[in-house]
């Protein structure tokens, strides 16, 4: 919860990746709040009040996963909505002539996106394809699996692109970006 709050302010992409990890953590504990509380939350050096807040937060996420039918797979609607907002901004940035650096970065990673989409789910947005790639490599690293130099290069480029998009997202939330139609 505390990490999610900090990431949400700093980087929406890192926030989404973290929340996907939380969804998987909840599934790993069988969507059991008691197990998460005793086997996970209790391991942190938090005050009693902080542990209660964390337990409430995980409890709410478990309830949402149950209500939304996400116990086995998929993302919570709150995360899907944030991803949709991020994708909407991506499309607005691409359509605008005011963000040439973003467009240049997009076209630099587009071959990687096309390759990933050809191997995976073609029905998800380009932004989700990028986040899926970042999440997948994160999981491979956690499992100490070898990542090819080609994949490392692609992930570095995708990470730069997603970081730029995330920065624009935070700036749009805090200051508002100026697009042509805003004039």
């Amino acid at each position: 919860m505390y990490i999610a709050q900090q990431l949400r302010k700093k980087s929406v992409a890192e926030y989404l990746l973290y929340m996907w990890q939380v969804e998987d953590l909840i599934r790993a504990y069988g969507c059991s709040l008691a197990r998460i509380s005793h086997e996970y939350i209790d391991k942190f050096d938090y005050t009693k009040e902080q542990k209660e807040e964390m337990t409430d937060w995980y409890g709410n996420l478990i309830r949402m996963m149950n209500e939304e039918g996400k116990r086995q797979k998929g993302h919570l609607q709150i995360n899907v909505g944030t991803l949709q907002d991020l994708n909407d901004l991506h499309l607005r940035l691409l359509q605008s002539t005011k963000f040439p650096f973003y467009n240049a970065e997009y076209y630099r990673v587009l071959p990687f996106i096309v390759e990933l989409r050809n191997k995976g789910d073609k029905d998800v947005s380009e932004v989700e394809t990028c986040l899926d790639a970042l999440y997948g490599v994160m999981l491979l690293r956690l499992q100490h699996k070898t990542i090819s130099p080609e994949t490392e290069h692609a992930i570095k480029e995708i990470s730069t692109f997603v970081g730029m998009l995330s920065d624009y997202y935070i700036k749009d939330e805090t200051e508002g970006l100026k697009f042509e139609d805003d004039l």
Side-chain angles (χ1 to χ4, degrees):
M1 175 179 96
Y2 301 112
I3 294 170
Q5 289 170 341
Q6 291 303 314
L7 288 175
R8 184 67 178 83
K9 294 175 192 167
K10 183 185 102 171
S11 169
V12 70
E14 289 180 40
Y15 165 78
L16 282 171
L17 293 171
Y18 176 77
M19 290 304 297
W20 290 359
Q21 189 176 14
V22 167
E23 291 168 344
D24 283 345
L25 179 124
I26 289 170
R27 291 181 187 109
Y29 282 102
C31 297
S32 167
L33 183 58
R35 284 191 61 206
I36 290 170
S37 179
H38 297 297
E39 297 174 32
Y40 183 71
I41 296 171
D42 282 351
K43 303 247 186 274
F44 291 97
D45 188 28
Y46 289 142
T47 65
K48 182 178 186 268
E49 292 78 22
Q50 288 173 317
K51 286 182 180 182
E52 288 172 0
E53 286 178 2
M54 288 287 291
T55 301
D56 287 346
W57 186 68
Y58 275 99
N60 285 329
L61 292 174
I62 291 168
R63 180 185 48 75
M64 286 187 271
M65 288 175 78
N66 286 328
E67 289 173 358
E68 296 175 21
K70 305 295 182 191
R71 288 179 64 95
Q72 302 300 319
K73 64 179 183 166
H75 301 300
L76 288 169
Q77 192 56 47
I78 56 170
N79 298 328
V80 169
T82 301
L83 179 59
Q84 183 61 50
D85 291 345
L86 190 61
N87 191 63
D88 290 347
L89 177 62
H90 162 69
L91 296 174
R92 288 176 62 206
L93 289 166
L94 287 180
Q95 291 170 355
S96 175
T97 58
K98 294 183 117 188
F99 304 94
F101 295 112
Y102 182 80
N103 274 271
E105 193 61 39
Y106 168 72
Y107 285 107
R108 187 176 353 272
V109 301
L110 186 56
F112 302 120
I113 295 171
V114 169
E115 186 177 341
L116 288 165
R117 289 175 74 121
N118 286 336
K119 292 179 182 176
D121 191 349
K122 294 171 184 61
D123 295 330
V124 300
S125 70
E126 292 174 329
V127 173
E128 187 170 355
T129 297
C130 290
L131 290 172
D132 283 342
L134 294 172
Y135 190 73
V137 168
M138 180 187 74
L139 292 178
L140 290 173
R141 286 183 177 139
L142 286 171
Q143 297 168 21
H144 305 290
K145 296 207 174 160
T146 305
I147 300 163
S148 73
E150 296 83 11
T151 300
E152 286 284 1
H153 174 70
I155 289 301
K156 183 178 181 215
E157 294 293 332
I158 290 169
S159 184
T160 300
F161 167 69
V162 169
M164 184 181 280
L165 175 58
S166 191
D167 289 346
Y168 276 124
Y169 184 92
I170 299 298
K171 184 173 183 171
D172 192 39
E173 275 193 331
T174 57
E175 303 168 26
L177 292 175
K178 301 288 185 221
F179 292 90
E180 287 84 4
D181 56 358
D182 294 339
L183 300 174

